[in-house]
Amino acid sequence: MTTGTPPPTARKRSRARTFVPLAVAAWAVLEIWLLIVVADVASGFAVLLLLAAGVVLGAVVMKRAGRRAFRNLTETLQQVPGQPGAGAVGSSPAPASSRGNGFLMLGGLLIMIPGIISDVAGLLLLVPPVRSALSRYTERSLERRMRAATPGGLSDAFQQARMHRPDGKVVQGEVIREEPTHPDENPRPPLTP
């Protein structure tokens, strides 16, 4: 029996699935090698202090970013609908201080991970111009991928929902269909034990 749909083809393995494990392994080897070099130049105690300071600084950065994100969330939820900036169509975008919390948390996490390369990458993410540039790049990349997504994917489901409900309102309800009974049909007798 044919349904008109082509048979499924074997999915090609993506380059990311091939190269990401290799990149992580190379990164780990490089981190260990750099820690050994620093221990030779300075001392093992200096490396231990460097790692401990990284954990403390990373935890402080992540805590601060988490508090800022939670504060922004509560401010957004406490806004009264109808007021300016309450999420209306013409409202202004989020303030610059609320953008980049994810990259700030990522920077704190990278600082907490033992290693010199991850510490440098985490410290770079603490610089606001670097964070905003990465945020813009990520946003453009995500928009491009959403436009190029295949039909039937997650983006298509959101697009269909947006087409059917342009105002975004959802009406809760239940459909009850009453089947008309014909007088010539005999209803079932009740079940008796």
Side-chain angles (χ1 to χ4, degrees), residues 131-150:
R131 249 192 346 258
S132 63
L134 274 173
S135 178
R136 285 191 305 268
Y137 172 75
T138 305
E139 191 173 327
R140 281 185 298 215
S141 175
L142 188 62
E143 286 176 2
R144 195 173 36 242
R145 286 179 185 243
M146 290 296 282
R147 274 188 255 122
T150 58

Side-chain angles (χ1 to χ4, degrees), residues 53-72:
V55 169
V56 171
L57 178 64
V60 168
V61 168
M62 286 182 68
K63 184 176 181 181
R64 182 173 172 224
R67 282 186 179 170
R68 186 190 318 177
F70 187 73
R71 183 180 64 239
N72 291 336

Side-chain angles (χ1 to χ4, degrees), residues 8-113:
T9 59
R11 291 184 60 178
K12 187 176 154 184
R13 185 178 175 133
S14 69
R15 286 185 284 167
R17 289 186 64 186
T18 303
F19 291 117
V20 167
L22 293 174
V24 169
W27 169 69
V29 168
L30 189 59
E31 289 279 20
I32 293 169
W33 178 74
L34 281 174
L35 287 175
I36 291 171
V37 168
V38 170
D40 282 344
V41 171
S43 69
F45 186 68
V47 170
L48 182 65
L49 286 178
L50 182 70
L51 294 176
V55 169
V56 171
L57 178 64
V60 168
V61 168
M62 286 182 68
K63 184 176 181 181
R64 182 173 172 224
R67 282 186 179 170
R68 186 190 318 177
F70 187 73
R71 183 180 64 239
N72 291 336
L73 177 66
T74 56
E75 287 174 0
T76 302
L77 293 176
Q78 288 176 352
Q79 288 178 349
V80 179
Q83 287 185 343
V89 173
S91 67
S92 62
S97 65
S98 70
R99 297 190 71 179
N101 282 332
F103 284 119
L104 198 59
M105 286 184 165
L106 179 63
L109 179 66
L110 285 172
I111 292 172
M112 286 180 73
I113 293 173

Side-chain angles (χ1 to χ4, degrees), residues 119-183:
D119 288 348
V120 169
L123 289 172
L124 278 175
L125 284 176
L126 297 184
V127 178
V130 173
R131 249 192 346 258
S132 63
L134 274 173
S135 178
R136 285 191 305 268
Y137 172 75
T138 305
E139 191 173 327
R140 281 185 298 215
S141 175
L142 188 62
E143 286 176 2
R144 195 173 36 242
R145 286 179 185 243
M146 290 296 282
R147 274 188 255 122
T150 58
L154 185 61
S155 64
D156 192 38
F158 286 125
Q159 185 67 28
Q160 288 176 1
R162 199 176 311 132
M163 285 189 304
H164 293 301
R165 300 283 185 198
D167 59 352
K169 293 182 181 177
V170 177
V171 178
Q172 299 277 342
E174 183 177 327
V175 176
I176 300 174
R177 182 185 310 175
E178 292 184 18
E179 301 281 335
T181 57
H182 297 294

